[in-house]
Structure formats: C-alpha cells, structure tokens
Amino acid sequence: MPADTPEPPAKDLRTLIPEYAGLARETTLLNPEPGDPGVRESSLGGRLLWPADEPWPYCAQEDHWTYGPDLRNHTEIVPGAVPMVPILQLFARDVPGLEFPEGKDLLQLVWCALIHEQDPGPVMPKLYWRNEAEVVAGGLPAEVPVAGEGEYDEDNMPQPSTLSPVTAEDWPSRQDLPEDMRETWEPRFRLPTGHTMWPPDSNVIATKVGGWPAWTQPADWPDCEGGHRMEHLLTVTGDIQLGDCGGVYFFHCRECPGLPWDWRFDCH
Ligand SMILES: [Zn+2]
Ligand SMILES: [Zn+2]
C-alpha cells in the first residue's frame, strides 16, 4: 500500500464528526421475543385489543398471490378480500417516548400479508389510535377472521412476540444526511482512488418507535397534503423476514388535524 494512502476511517461517524452526533434522537427499540403475548399486552404479531363493534379490516386488492411451500412457485389465491394480519400493538405505558393523540393510549398496526402483483412488499397497512378503556368497556370480539390455511405469505407475518422496549440514541442513516453536511464531510473520507470510504453510521436497524428510519434504499420521506414533511413514527424491520423488503416505515404529521400518516417500504 503506498505510503500516502490514508487509513480507512475505523471510528464511527459520531466520533469523527461532531455535527453528526448533534442529530441524535431518542428511539424506543421494541426488542421482540417470540412468545405468547396477551391481548392487553404490547406485541408484534400478537392478538389485538379490537373493539367488538368494529369490523376487522380486509384487503380488497384483486391480485393476491402467495408462495408455495418450496418458495419457488407463485400460487394465486382465490380472488376476494382477505383479512389483514396484526403486526404491532403498543400501549402508551410501554412506550413513554411515543406521544399519543389526546385521549388515546393504544396504537395498532395491521397489514395485508399476501403478495400483490404490483408490489413486492406487504401493503395496505392501517394504523389505529385507540383508548384502551373504551375498547375494553365496549367488549371484545370472540375471534378475529384469518385467511385460509397456508394462504398468508409467512414472510410478511411476524411470529407472535412480546416486546421489551428500551430507549436508545439513534442517528440518521447515511441516506438521511443533509446534502451540505455530506459535501463537507465527504472529502475527509475520500481515498486517492476517488472512492469514498465512509465509516460505519450509527443508525439503529431494528423495529423501533421514533428516532430515524432505518432505510435500506435512498431516503423517501413523505409530505402530508398540507406540505409538511412528516415525522418518522416507527420502523418495522429486521425482526421479521418481509420477503425482499428491507423495512416498512411509518410517518405522520402532528401539525395537521386528524394526524395524517403515510408509509414507505424499501427492498434490499
Ligand atoms: Zn392484500
Ligand atoms: Zn401536515
């Protein structure tokens, strides 16, 4: 190696670049562990505390597919709406870092676990903010519908897991660095070959609430209809396979009434 070739930076970005450390945000890592979560516990892939008088959500897309047991053959599912599957349930008491809308203390997330012709990842997610006491007072359904045996794509279904949330510091992934910072920093990491050797970033890749999205692909922040860039609400990744999907990211706008939200997913 020629004498003037710089050593690749070994330290992380926080140490090398004080401005980067200034972008730290608190995140809550959900730390799912396969188990048997109860309906009144926070969970990934567990039973949801669902109001008896509210119909269970279905995905009405027409083009549902799933993989056969050998993962090579697509199987077309009988056309028609299929029940969504529970993904996440968070009670406010377990995630103090998550700000709930007034009067709400329960966040639920479902999505369609089948494959759609147009989309390589799970789609049609729905978010619900609820009040636990109101749901309990109104009664719970005896059971919630599930699709036929073997119809769901297992990749898009988390194993029922209990959660052990802990807070941690989170930093933006490289995709989220402001352009001007990138330009300032990049020369520090440029090798004589012209390539840039970035040190590892400190973005936490996990299922988490708040903090920064754990993008696999270039950042793709949604704006609300009012023109505000939405805030990162939560990321689901890593702990479930999600097919070719790198992660599913949820965002919301707290400036607009009705708490508009949106989601993105990306692929490896
Ligand atoms: Zn669907
Ligand atoms: Zn807005």
Side-chain angles (χ1 to χ4, degrees):
M1 184 183 280
D4 59 354
T5 303
E7 287 285 317
K11 292 178 180 171
D12 65 22
L13 283 175
R14 283 170 295 173
T15 315
L16 288 163
I17 306 168
E19 304 99 298
Y20 180 79
L23 297 172
R25 289 180 186 169
E26 186 181 277
T27 187
T28 302
L29 310 179
L30 297 179
N31 293 322
E33 280 286 334
D36 185 21
V39 71
R40 294 185 72 173
E41 288 179 69
S42 293
S43 61
L44 180 75
R47 255 185 83 206
L48 303 185
L49 187 75
W50 197 262
D53 61 356
E54 185 174 314
W56 184 258
Y58 279 71
C59 175
Q61 298 250 125
E62 298 269 305
D63 55 354
H64 282 125
W65 296 73
T66 190
Y67 286 113
D70 59 5
L71 297 178
R72 283 194 298 271
N73 298 314
H74 266 103
T75 312
E76 193 167 3
I77 298 295
V78 180
V82 293
M84 302 270 194
V85 297
I87 299 299
L88 197 59
Q89 167 162 284
L90 296 175
F91 290 93
R93 56 179 170 271
D94 295 324
V95 194
L98 174 59
E99 199 175 313
F100 282 74
E102 200 180 339
K104 308 292 184 191
D105 56 8
L106 171 59
L107 174 61
Q108 296 170 331
L109 167 62
V110 301
W111 67 44
C112 177
L114 292 171
I115 299 163
H116 304 88
E117 189 90 14
Q118 304 298 325
D119 302 285
V123 296
M124 316 303 287
K126 290 180 184 295
L127 283 184
Y128 304 87
W129 300 94
R130 303 189 189 280
N131 178 286
E132 180 183 10
E134 280 174 16
V135 177
V136 171
L140 306 181
E143 55 185 25
V144 298
V146 291
E149 186 76 22
E151 287 193 350
Y152 288 126
D153 181 25
E154 297 292 325
D155 273 358
N156 292 337
M157 288 189 64
Q159 219 180 329
S161 301
T162 56
L163 304 179
S164 305
V166 293
T167 55
E169 282 197 306
D170 196 14
W171 286 264
S173 67
R174 200 150 298 146
Q175 292 92 317
D176 263 326
L177 295 183
E179 261 324 296
D180 57 341
M181 281 195 188
R182 290 185 65 121
E183 284 166 21
T184 312
W185 303 346
E186 199 163 348
R188 303 187 209 175
F189 306 125
R190 200 166 295 145
L191 301 175
T193 57
H195 293 97
T196 302
M197 177 78 83
W198 285 90
D201 66 37
S202 301
N203 179 238
V204 181
I205 300 173
T207 294
K208 62 184 178 183
V209 175
W212 292 85
W215 303 112
T216 304
Q217 296 291 324
D220 182 18
W221 292 80
D223 290 333
C224 75
E225 287 186 358
H228 311 117
R229 198 178 84 159
M230 292 188 172
E231 296 172 58
H232 176 238
L233 173 63
L234 62 94
T235 283
V236 179
T237 191
D239 313 300
I240 57 176
Q241 285 299 315
L242 296 172
D244 292 332
C245 190
V248 189
Y249 317 99
F250 294 86
F251 304 85
H252 64 173
C253 175
R254 290 191 287 177
E255 293 183 60
C256 287
L259 210 58
W261 64 278
D262 204 350
W263 64 286
R264 297 284 188 263
F265 71 85
D266 59 17
C267 299
H268 288 298

